[in-house]
Amino acid sequence: MTHKRSFRSICVQEIKENRTTPPHQLPIYATSSFSFDDIDQSIDIFTGKTEGHVYSRYANPTIDSVARKIAALEAYETGKEAYAYLTSSGMSAISSVVISLLQEGDIMLTQGNLYGGTTELFQKVVSSWGIQTIFKDFGDLEAVETTIQEHPKIKMIYLETPANPTLACVDLERITLLARKYKIYTVIDNTFSTPYLQRPFQYDVDVVIHSSTKFLNGHGNSISGVVVSWRPELRKRLWEVIKLVGTNSNAWDAWLLNNGLKTLTIRMDKHCENALALAHFLENHPKVNKVNYIGLKSHAHHDIATKQMKGYGGMLSFEVGGTMAQAKLFINRLTMITMAPTLGDVDSLVLHPASSSHLNVPRDMRILNGISDNLVRLSVGIEDFDDIKNDINQALESI
Ligand SMILES: *Cc1c(COP(=O)(O)O)cnc(C)c1O
Protein backbone atom coordinates (compact mmCIF):
# COMPACT_ATOMS: atom_id res chain seq x y z
CA MET A 1 0.00 0.00 0.00
CA THR A 2 1.36 3.41 -0.93
CA HIS A 3 1.75 5.76 1.94
CA LYS A 4 -0.35 8.90 1.57
CA ARG A 5 1.74 12.07 1.58
CA SER A 6 0.96 14.72 4.11
CA PHE A 7 -0.31 18.22 3.31
CA ARG A 8 3.14 19.58 4.22
CA SER A 9 4.95 17.22 1.86
CA ILE A 10 2.58 17.96 -1.01
CA CYS A 11 3.46 21.64 -0.52
CA VAL A 12 7.16 20.87 -0.70
CA GLN A 13 7.37 18.32 -3.52
CA GLU A 14 7.39 19.17 -7.23
CA ILE A 15 4.56 17.76 -9.31
CA LYS A 16 6.28 16.59 -12.48
CA GLU A 17 4.18 17.70 -15.38
CA ASN A 18 3.99 15.29 -18.30
CA ARG A 19 4.41 17.48 -21.33
CA THR A 20 2.90 16.07 -24.47
CA THR A 21 3.82 18.95 -26.77
CA PRO A 22 6.92 21.12 -26.67
CA PRO A 23 6.54 24.80 -25.75
CA HIS A 24 6.41 27.18 -28.70
CA GLN A 25 8.51 29.76 -26.84
CA LEU A 26 11.68 29.22 -24.81
CA PRO A 27 10.79 28.43 -21.19
CA ILE A 28 12.69 29.97 -18.27
CA TYR A 29 14.28 27.03 -16.47
CA ALA A 30 14.31 28.53 -12.99
CA THR A 31 16.12 25.64 -11.38
CA SER A 32 19.50 25.43 -9.70
CA SER A 33 19.86 21.70 -10.36
CA PHE A 34 18.48 18.83 -12.41
CA SER A 35 17.29 15.52 -11.01
CA PHE A 36 18.34 12.04 -12.07
CA ASP A 37 16.14 9.00 -12.62
CA ASP A 38 18.62 6.71 -10.93
CA ILE A 39 22.25 6.40 -9.88
CA ASP A 40 23.36 4.94 -13.24
CA GLN A 41 22.05 7.96 -15.13
CA SER A 42 23.77 10.23 -12.62
CA ILE A 43 27.09 8.43 -13.11
CA ASP A 44 26.79 8.54 -16.91
CA ILE A 45 26.12 12.29 -16.89
CA PHE A 46 28.82 13.11 -14.35
CA THR A 47 31.41 11.11 -16.26
CA GLY A 48 30.34 12.69 -19.54
CA LYS A 49 29.19 9.39 -21.07
CA THR A 50 25.79 10.86 -21.80
CA GLU A 51 24.79 14.47 -22.14
CA GLY A 52 22.55 15.97 -19.55
CA HIS A 53 22.15 18.90 -17.27
CA VAL A 54 23.47 18.79 -13.74
CA TYR A 55 23.57 22.18 -12.10
CA SER A 56 22.70 25.59 -13.54
CA ARG A 57 26.12 27.09 -12.88
CA TYR A 58 27.44 24.46 -15.35
CA ALA A 59 24.67 24.74 -17.93
CA ASN A 60 20.94 25.35 -18.13
CA PRO A 61 18.59 24.69 -21.07
CA THR A 62 17.41 28.32 -21.30
CA ILE A 63 20.97 29.68 -21.23
CA ASP A 64 22.31 27.04 -23.65
CA SER A 65 19.59 27.73 -26.18
CA VAL A 66 20.43 31.46 -26.32
CA ALA A 67 24.18 30.79 -26.37
CA ARG A 68 23.70 28.46 -29.35
CA LYS A 69 21.82 31.18 -31.21
CA ILE A 70 24.56 33.77 -30.67
CA ALA A 71 27.25 31.26 -31.69
CA ALA A 72 25.35 30.65 -34.94
CA LEU A 73 25.10 34.38 -35.59
CA GLU A 74 28.81 35.03 -35.02
CA ALA A 75 29.77 32.04 -37.18
CA TYR A 76 27.32 32.88 -39.97
CA GLU A 77 28.99 32.69 -43.42
CA THR A 78 32.44 32.42 -41.87
CA GLY A 79 32.74 28.70 -42.57
CA LYS A 80 33.41 28.11 -38.89
CA GLU A 81 31.65 26.18 -36.16
CA ALA A 82 31.37 28.32 -33.09
CA TYR A 83 30.28 27.78 -29.50
CA ALA A 84 29.26 30.35 -26.90
CA TYR A 85 28.80 30.79 -23.16
CA LEU A 86 26.51 33.40 -21.65
CA THR A 87 27.96 35.31 -18.73
CA SER A 88 26.59 37.53 -15.98
CA SER A 89 27.80 40.73 -17.69
CA GLY A 90 30.04 42.03 -20.44
CA MET A 91 32.73 42.60 -17.81
CA SER A 92 32.58 38.99 -16.60
CA ALA A 93 32.86 37.82 -20.22
CA ILE A 94 36.10 39.83 -20.53
CA SER A 95 37.53 38.67 -17.20
CA SER A 96 36.63 35.02 -17.96
CA VAL A 97 38.56 35.20 -21.24
CA VAL A 98 41.60 36.83 -19.60
CA ILE A 99 41.64 34.18 -16.85
CA SER A 100 41.27 31.43 -19.46
CA LEU A 101 43.99 32.54 -21.86
CA LEU A 102 46.62 34.23 -19.71
CA GLN A 103 48.68 33.44 -16.67
CA GLU A 104 51.10 35.24 -14.37
CA GLY A 105 53.98 36.75 -16.34
CA ASP A 106 52.05 37.01 -19.60
CA ILE A 107 51.47 40.36 -21.28
CA MET A 108 48.35 41.65 -23.00
CA LEU A 109 48.54 44.18 -25.81
CA THR A 110 45.60 46.51 -26.31
CA GLN A 111 44.45 49.95 -27.46
CA GLY A 112 44.14 53.14 -25.35
CA ASN A 113 40.52 53.90 -26.24
CA LEU A 114 38.72 50.88 -24.78
CA TYR A 115 35.40 50.90 -22.93
CA GLY A 116 36.19 52.63 -19.62
CA GLY A 117 35.40 49.61 -17.45
CA THR A 118 37.69 47.40 -19.53
CA THR A 119 40.66 49.76 -19.10
CA GLU A 120 39.98 49.86 -15.35
CA LEU A 121 39.70 46.06 -15.19
CA PHE A 122 43.10 45.65 -16.87
CA GLN A 123 44.81 48.35 -14.79
CA LYS A 124 43.30 47.70 -11.37
CA VAL A 125 42.46 43.98 -11.30
CA VAL A 126 44.27 42.01 -14.02
CA SER A 127 47.55 43.79 -13.13
CA SER A 128 47.33 42.34 -9.59
CA TRP A 129 47.41 38.82 -11.07
CA GLY A 130 50.88 39.56 -12.47
CA ILE A 131 49.55 40.12 -15.99
CA GLN A 132 50.79 43.36 -17.53
CA THR A 133 48.82 45.37 -20.10
CA ILE A 134 50.55 47.45 -22.77
CA PHE A 135 48.43 50.15 -24.42
CA LYS A 136 49.27 51.01 -28.05
CA ASP A 137 47.70 52.87 -30.95
CA PHE A 138 46.49 50.10 -33.31
CA GLY A 139 46.43 52.62 -36.15
CA ASP A 140 50.21 52.33 -36.35
CA LEU A 141 50.77 48.62 -37.01
CA GLU A 142 54.52 48.98 -37.53
CA ALA A 143 54.86 50.32 -34.00
CA VAL A 144 52.60 47.48 -32.83
CA GLU A 145 54.89 44.90 -34.48
CA THR A 146 57.97 46.48 -32.87
CA THR A 147 56.25 46.24 -29.46
CA ILE A 148 55.45 42.56 -30.10
CA GLN A 149 59.08 41.87 -31.02
CA GLU A 150 60.28 43.64 -27.87
CA HIS A 151 57.92 41.69 -25.60
CA PRO A 152 57.87 37.94 -26.38
CA LYS A 153 55.54 37.46 -23.39
CA ILE A 154 52.67 39.12 -25.26
CA LYS A 155 50.10 36.30 -25.51
CA MET A 156 46.94 38.17 -26.33
CA ILE A 157 45.81 41.17 -28.38
CA TYR A 158 42.59 42.68 -27.06
CA LEU A 159 40.57 44.78 -29.54
CA GLU A 160 37.51 46.97 -29.60
CA THR A 161 36.30 48.25 -32.97
CA PRO A 162 34.56 50.63 -33.43
CA ALA A 163 35.64 52.13 -30.12
CA ASN A 164 33.83 54.34 -27.69
CA PRO A 165 33.08 57.29 -28.11
CA THR A 166 35.04 58.47 -31.18
CA LEU A 167 34.25 55.33 -33.24
CA ALA A 168 37.92 54.75 -34.04
CA CYS A 169 38.30 51.45 -35.96
CA VAL A 170 41.03 48.82 -36.06
CA ASP A 171 41.81 47.04 -39.35
CA LEU A 172 40.88 43.46 -38.42
CA GLU A 173 42.49 41.85 -41.46
CA ARG A 174 45.87 43.45 -40.79
CA ILE A 175 45.97 43.05 -37.02
CA THR A 176 44.96 39.37 -37.15
CA LEU A 177 47.64 38.73 -39.78
CA LEU A 178 50.19 40.20 -37.40
CA ALA A 179 48.85 38.22 -34.45
CA ARG A 180 49.05 34.95 -36.40
CA LYS A 181 52.63 35.66 -37.42
CA TYR A 182 53.62 35.82 -33.74
CA LYS A 183 51.15 33.14 -32.52
CA ILE A 184 49.22 35.56 -30.33
CA TYR A 185 45.54 35.12 -29.42
CA THR A 186 43.14 37.81 -30.63
CA VAL A 187 40.07 38.77 -28.62
CA ILE A 188 37.53 41.37 -29.70
CA ASP A 189 34.74 43.25 -27.99
CA ASN A 190 32.06 43.26 -30.73
CA THR A 191 29.43 45.08 -28.66
CA PHE A 192 29.03 48.16 -30.87
CA SER A 193 28.59 46.18 -34.10
CA THR A 194 26.81 42.96 -33.17
CA PRO A 195 27.35 39.98 -35.52
CA TYR A 196 24.76 41.50 -37.88
CA LEU A 197 27.19 44.27 -38.84
CA GLN A 198 30.60 42.69 -38.19
CA ARG A 199 31.74 39.10 -37.88
CA PRO A 200 35.34 38.98 -36.66
CA PHE A 201 35.60 35.19 -37.18
CA GLN A 202 35.89 36.03 -40.91
CA TYR A 203 39.36 37.29 -40.02
CA ASP A 204 40.10 34.33 -37.71
CA VAL A 205 39.80 36.38 -34.53
CA ASP A 206 39.93 33.69 -31.82
CA VAL A 207 37.40 34.95 -29.30
CA VAL A 208 34.52 37.43 -29.52
CA ILE A 209 32.96 38.92 -26.41
CA HIS A 210 29.85 41.08 -26.07
CA SER A 211 28.15 43.15 -23.53
CA SER A 212 24.77 41.70 -24.54
CA THR A 213 23.33 44.30 -22.16
CA LYS A 214 23.52 46.62 -25.19
CA PHE A 215 22.41 46.06 -28.81
CA LEU A 216 21.98 42.26 -28.62
CA ASN A 217 19.28 42.65 -26.00
CA GLY A 218 18.30 46.13 -27.13
CA HIS A 219 15.66 46.80 -24.49
CA GLY A 220 17.79 47.87 -21.55
CA ASN A 221 16.15 45.45 -19.13
CA SER A 222 19.02 43.14 -18.16
CA ILE A 223 22.77 42.87 -17.72
CA SER A 224 24.50 40.00 -19.55
CA GLY A 225 27.52 39.07 -21.60
CA VAL A 226 28.70 36.37 -23.96
CA VAL A 227 31.97 34.65 -24.88
CA VAL A 228 32.08 33.13 -28.37
CA SER A 229 34.88 31.16 -30.00
CA TRP A 230 35.45 28.74 -32.86
CA ARG A 231 38.76 27.36 -31.55
CA PRO A 232 38.06 23.78 -30.42
CA GLU A 233 41.19 23.77 -28.24
CA LEU A 234 39.88 26.67 -26.12
CA ARG A 235 36.45 25.21 -25.47
CA LYS A 236 37.23 23.12 -22.39
CA ARG A 237 39.30 25.85 -20.76
CA LEU A 238 36.71 28.62 -21.31
CA TRP A 239 33.94 26.42 -19.92
CA GLU A 240 36.04 25.37 -16.91
CA VAL A 241 36.78 28.98 -16.02
CA ILE A 242 33.18 30.18 -16.44
CA LYS A 243 31.94 27.19 -14.43
CA LEU A 244 34.50 27.45 -11.64
CA VAL A 245 34.79 31.22 -11.32
CA GLY A 246 31.00 31.29 -11.55
CA THR A 247 30.67 34.00 -14.18
CA ASN A 248 27.77 32.30 -15.97
CA SER A 249 24.46 33.97 -16.75
CA ASN A 250 21.04 33.04 -15.38
CA ALA A 251 17.89 31.77 -17.08
CA TRP A 252 15.87 34.95 -16.63
CA ASP A 253 18.45 37.28 -18.22
CA ALA A 254 19.08 34.74 -20.98
CA TRP A 255 15.37 34.67 -21.71
CA LEU A 256 15.18 38.48 -21.94
CA LEU A 257 18.19 38.42 -24.26
CA ASN A 258 16.47 35.80 -26.42
CA ASN A 259 13.45 38.07 -26.83
CA GLY A 260 15.68 40.95 -27.86
CA LEU A 261 17.62 38.87 -30.39
CA LYS A 262 14.48 38.14 -32.38
CA THR A 263 14.32 41.74 -33.61
CA LEU A 264 18.08 42.33 -33.88
CA THR A 265 18.14 42.80 -37.65
CA ILE A 266 15.22 45.22 -37.89
CA ARG A 267 16.48 47.19 -34.90
CA MET A 268 20.01 47.43 -36.32
CA ASP A 269 18.74 48.46 -39.77
CA LYS A 270 16.79 51.32 -38.18
CA HIS A 271 19.66 52.29 -35.81
CA CYS A 272 21.97 52.54 -38.86
CA GLU A 273 19.47 54.45 -40.99
CA ASN A 274 18.66 56.99 -38.25
CA ALA A 275 22.31 57.46 -37.22
CA LEU A 276 23.46 58.12 -40.80
CA ALA A 277 20.69 60.64 -41.43
CA LEU A 278 21.42 62.33 -38.11
CA ALA A 279 25.17 62.45 -38.82
CA HIS A 280 24.48 64.27 -42.11
CA PHE A 281 22.13 66.68 -40.34
CA LEU A 282 24.67 67.41 -37.58
CA GLU A 283 27.52 67.83 -40.04
CA ASN A 284 25.68 70.80 -41.56
CA HIS A 285 24.52 72.37 -38.30
CA PRO A 286 26.25 75.67 -37.39
CA LYS A 287 26.30 74.87 -33.65
CA VAL A 288 28.13 71.56 -34.21
CA ASN A 289 31.89 71.54 -34.74
CA LYS A 290 32.76 67.95 -35.37
CA VAL A 291 30.80 64.74 -35.97
CA ASN A 292 32.29 61.30 -35.35
CA TYR A 293 30.31 58.74 -37.34
CA ILE A 294 32.00 56.01 -39.38
CA GLY A 295 29.33 56.28 -42.07
CA LEU A 296 30.60 59.77 -42.92
CA LYS A 297 33.41 60.08 -45.45
CA SER A 298 34.98 62.66 -43.13
CA HIS A 299 35.66 59.98 -40.46
CA ALA A 300 39.31 58.93 -40.50
CA HIS A 301 38.33 55.24 -40.41
CA HIS A 302 35.43 55.31 -42.87
CA ASP A 303 37.29 53.03 -45.30
CA ILE A 304 38.23 50.45 -42.66
CA ALA A 305 34.63 50.37 -41.45
CA THR A 306 33.33 49.99 -45.00
CA LYS A 307 35.69 47.08 -45.58
CA GLN A 308 34.85 45.06 -42.49
CA MET A 309 31.30 46.09 -41.53
CA LYS A 310 27.93 45.63 -43.24
CA GLY A 311 26.59 48.88 -41.76
CA TYR A 312 27.88 51.72 -39.63
CA GLY A 313 25.86 51.15 -36.48
CA GLY A 314 23.84 53.37 -34.19
CA MET A 315 26.60 55.13 -32.25
CA LEU A 316 27.93 58.60 -32.94
CA SER A 317 29.45 61.53 -31.08
CA PHE A 318 29.73 65.23 -31.82
CA GLU A 319 31.10 68.46 -30.39
CA VAL A 320 28.45 70.93 -29.27
CA GLY A 321 29.40 74.62 -29.41
CA GLY A 322 32.84 75.30 -27.99
CA THR A 323 32.68 74.72 -24.25
CA MET A 324 31.72 72.13 -21.65
CA ALA A 325 29.04 74.49 -20.36
CA GLN A 326 27.38 74.53 -23.78
CA ALA A 327 27.49 70.73 -24.05
CA LYS A 328 25.88 70.41 -20.62
CA LEU A 329 23.21 72.97 -21.46
CA PHE A 330 22.46 71.11 -24.70
CA ILE A 331 21.88 67.87 -22.80
CA ASN A 332 19.62 69.58 -20.27
CA ARG A 333 17.53 71.08 -23.05
CA LEU A 334 16.73 67.72 -24.69
CA THR A 335 13.11 66.78 -24.11
CA MET A 336 12.72 63.33 -25.70
CA ILE A 337 16.21 61.85 -25.70
CA THR A 338 17.14 60.36 -22.32
CA MET A 339 20.39 60.90 -20.49
CA ALA A 340 21.51 57.44 -19.34
CA PRO A 341 24.88 55.69 -19.03
CA THR A 342 24.19 52.81 -21.40
CA LEU A 343 23.79 52.32 -25.16
CA GLY A 344 22.14 50.13 -27.75
CA ASP A 345 18.59 50.44 -26.41
CA VAL A 346 15.63 50.98 -28.72
CA ASP A 347 15.28 54.57 -27.45
CA SER A 348 17.83 57.33 -28.10
CA LEU A 349 20.29 57.95 -25.27
CA VAL A 350 22.74 60.76 -24.66
CA LEU A 351 25.88 60.90 -22.52
CA HIS A 352 28.59 63.47 -21.79
CA PRO A 353 31.83 61.40 -21.72
CA ALA A 354 34.06 64.06 -20.10
CA SER A 355 31.87 64.19 -16.97
CA SER A 356 30.80 60.53 -16.84
CA SER A 357 32.43 57.57 -18.61
CA HIS A 358 35.80 59.37 -18.92
CA LEU A 359 35.68 61.34 -15.66
CA ASN A 360 38.66 59.46 -14.24
CA VAL A 361 40.81 59.79 -17.36
CA PRO A 362 43.32 62.68 -17.04
CA ARG A 363 42.14 65.65 -19.16
CA ASP A 364 45.21 65.80 -21.47
CA MET A 365 45.00 62.04 -22.17
CA ARG A 366 41.26 62.31 -22.74
CA ILE A 367 41.70 65.18 -25.22
CA LEU A 368 44.52 63.32 -26.95
CA ASN A 369 42.03 60.48 -27.57
CA GLY A 370 39.56 62.92 -29.16
CA ILE A 371 37.26 63.22 -26.13
CA SER A 372 36.98 66.98 -25.80
CA ASP A 373 35.12 68.84 -23.04
CA ASN A 374 32.16 69.52 -25.34
CA LEU A 375 31.87 66.06 -26.89
CA VAL A 376 28.44 64.45 -26.60
CA ARG A 377 27.81 60.76 -27.30
CA LEU A 378 24.56 59.60 -28.78
CA SER A 379 23.15 56.11 -29.01
CA VAL A 380 20.67 56.72 -31.81
CA GLY A 381 17.42 54.88 -31.21
CA ILE A 382 14.77 53.48 -33.53
CA GLU A 383 12.18 56.23 -33.03
CA ASP A 384 10.98 58.21 -36.05
CA PHE A 385 13.95 60.11 -37.41
CA ASP A 386 12.12 63.45 -37.42
CA ASP A 387 11.42 63.25 -33.69
CA ILE A 388 15.11 62.58 -32.94
CA LYS A 389 16.24 65.35 -35.28
CA ASN A 390 13.71 67.87 -33.96
CA ASP A 391 14.67 67.25 -30.32
CA ILE A 392 18.35 67.71 -31.10
CA ASN A 393 17.70 70.74 -33.27
CA GLN A 394 15.61 72.59 -30.66
CA ALA A 395 18.25 71.86 -27.99
CA LEU A 396 21.03 73.13 -30.27
CA GLU A 397 19.08 76.24 -31.20
CA SER A 398 18.54 77.07 -27.54
CA ILE A 399 22.19 77.21 -26.51
C1 LIG B 1 28.83 48.17 -21.62
C2 LIG B 1 30.07 47.69 -22.27
C3 LIG B 1 30.90 46.74 -21.65
C4 LIG B 1 30.61 46.20 -20.27
O1 LIG B 1 29.46 45.43 -20.28
P1 LIG B 1 28.50 45.18 -18.99
O2 LIG B 1 27.41 44.35 -19.55
O3 LIG B 1 28.08 46.51 -18.49
O4 LIG B 1 29.34 44.47 -17.99
C5 LIG B 1 32.00 46.31 -22.35
N1 LIG B 1 32.31 46.78 -23.57
C6 LIG B 1 31.54 47.71 -24.19
C7 LIG B 1 31.92 48.19 -25.53
C8 LIG B 1 30.39 48.20 -23.56
O5 LIG B 1 29.64 49.11 -24.17
Side-chain angles (χ1 to χ4, degrees):
M1 205 184 85
T2 40
H3 177 71
K4 264 214 165 115
R5 296 221 173 101
S6 73
F7 188 93
R8 190 190 302 273
S9 296
I10 293 171
C11 283
V12 170
Q13 290 291 315
E14 286 285 319
I15 304 286
K16 301 286 180 196
E17 175 210 355
N18 274 328
R19 278 193 214 97
T20 53
T21 48
H24 168 49
Q25 292 293 324
L26 180 66
I28 300 172
Y29 281 84
T31 182
S32 56
S33 69
F34 299 82
S35 56
F36 307 119
D37 293 337
D38 53 41
I39 187 74
D40 293 328
Q41 189 195 26
S42 159
I43 290 167
D44 284 350
I45 290 174
F46 267 98
T47 54
K49 215 167 118 190
T50 51
E51 280 196 36
H53 288 94
V54 175
Y55 188 63
S56 279
R57 176 159 48 74
Y58 297 22
N60 170 294
T62 312
I63 299 172
D64 293 355
S65 164
V66 186
R68 281 223 309 273
K69 183 182 283 193
I70 296 175
L73 297 175
E74 283 292 350
Y76 186 74
E77 284 187 340
T78 65
K80 294 183 168 68
E81 279 236 26
Y83 52 90
Y85 299 106
L86 294 194
T87 56
S88 57
S89 66
M91 294 310 298
S92 69
I94 300 167
S95 58
S96 299
V97 173
V98 172
I99 296 169
S100 298
L101 301 189
L102 301 180
Q103 54 188 33
E104 191 178 354
D106 288 344
I107 302 176
M108 172 164 46
L109 183 61
T110 190
Q111 60 201 78
N113 50 352
L114 295 173
Y115 174 74
T118 310
T119 306
E120 273 194 76
L121 170 74
F122 294 166
Q123 288 180 329
K124 296 180 180 169
V125 181
V126 172
S127 61
S128 68
W129 303 336
I131 297 166
Q132 188 201 340
T133 304
I134 297 177
F135 293 91
K136 275 275 158 191
D137 175 4
F138 285 167
D140 183 354
L141 288 177
E142 277 173 27
V144 170
E145 182 156 15
T146 307
T147 305
I148 293 172
Q149 287 165 345
E150 285 167 359
H151 297 90
K153 285 279 192 179
I154 292 176
K155 295 281 163 63
M156 176 173 139
I157 292 178
Y158 184 91
L159 308 158
E160 196 179 309
T161 178
N164 191 22
T166 57
L167 290 309
C169 294
V170 179
D171 189 322
L172 289 177
E173 187 178 18
R174 295 185 61 204
I175 195 111
T176 47
L177 219 58
L178 196 59
R180 264 201 303 286
K181 183 171 162 192
Y182 293 92
K183 298 193 163 46
I184 296 170
Y185 288 123
T186 44
V187 178
I188 185 173
D189 181 336
N190 204 25
T191 300
F192 272 34
S193 306
T194 80
Y196 183 52
L197 302 181
Q198 175 173 274
R199 289 191 286 276
F201 291 164
Q202 272 166 346
Y203 300 100
D204 291 352
V205 167
D206 298 301
V207 181
V208 166
I209 71 96
H210 281 274
S211 167
S212 38
T213 309
K214 313 293 170 53
F215 287 104
L216 288 181
N217 175 311
H219 295 76
N221 52 15
S222 77
I223 297 274
S224 64
V226 60
V227 175
V228 200
S229 179
W230 57 280
R231 292 276 184 207
E233 68 274 24
L234 297 181
R235 185 170 195 153
K236 186 161 170 279
R237 179 64 181 161
L238 286 167
W239 182 69
E240 258 171 10
V241 166
I242 289 165
K243 179 182 84 170
L244 296 172
V245 182
T247 50
N248 63 307
S249 185
N250 63 81
W252 172 245
D253 286 328
W255 184 84
L256 287 167
L257 174 56
N258 190 54
N259 279 352
L261 283 171
K262 294 178 187 190
T263 56
L264 179 69
T265 60
I266 45 178
R267 283 188 289 110
M268 292 315 289
D269 285 341
K270 190 67 178 157
H271 282 301
C272 292
E273 181 195 316
N274 280 352
L276 183 63
L278 193 68
H280 284 303
F281 168 75
L282 291 169
E283 216 176 22
N284 296 313
H285 200 290
K287 295 249 172 81
V288 173
N289 287 333
K290 183 173 199 264
V291 184
N292 299 309
Y293 184 63
I294 41 178
L296 295 178
K297 292 203 170 62
S298 58
H299 194 287
H301 298 155
H302 173 73
D303 290 344
I304 298 177
T306 303
K307 184 175 104 179
Q308 64 197 25
M309 296 173 71
K310 285 188 163 50
Y312 302 108
M315 301 301 299
L316 58 80
S317 61
F318 56 101
E319 290 180 357
V320 176
T323 64
M324 186 181 287
Q326 278 177 301
K328 286 178 171 171
L329 190 60
F330 164 78
I331 290 175
N332 282 339
R333 292 272 162 88
L334 292 167
T335 59
M336 183 187 82
I337 299 170
T338 309
M339 188 181 160
T342 188
L343 58 97
D345 290 357
V346 283
D347 56 325
S348 296
L349 303 167
V350 69
L351 182 112
H352 180 233
S355 67
S356 59
S357 56
H358 291 72
L359 184 67
N360 295 323
V361 180
R363 187 168 182 273
D364 50 346
M365 193 175 145
R366 168 162 68 71
I367 290 186
L368 202 70
N369 274 311
I371 304 155
S372 48
D373 292 342
N374 57 336
L375 189 79
V376 166
R377 186 191 81 183
L378 206 66
S379 171
V380 183
I382 63 169
E383 301 96 339
D384 258 339
F385 173 68
D386 281 347
D387 288 329
I388 301 172
K389 184 193 76 179
N390 290 341
D391 194 22
I392 285 177
N393 192 45
Q394 63 78 25
L396 283 172
E397 294 303 323
S398 77
I399 61 164

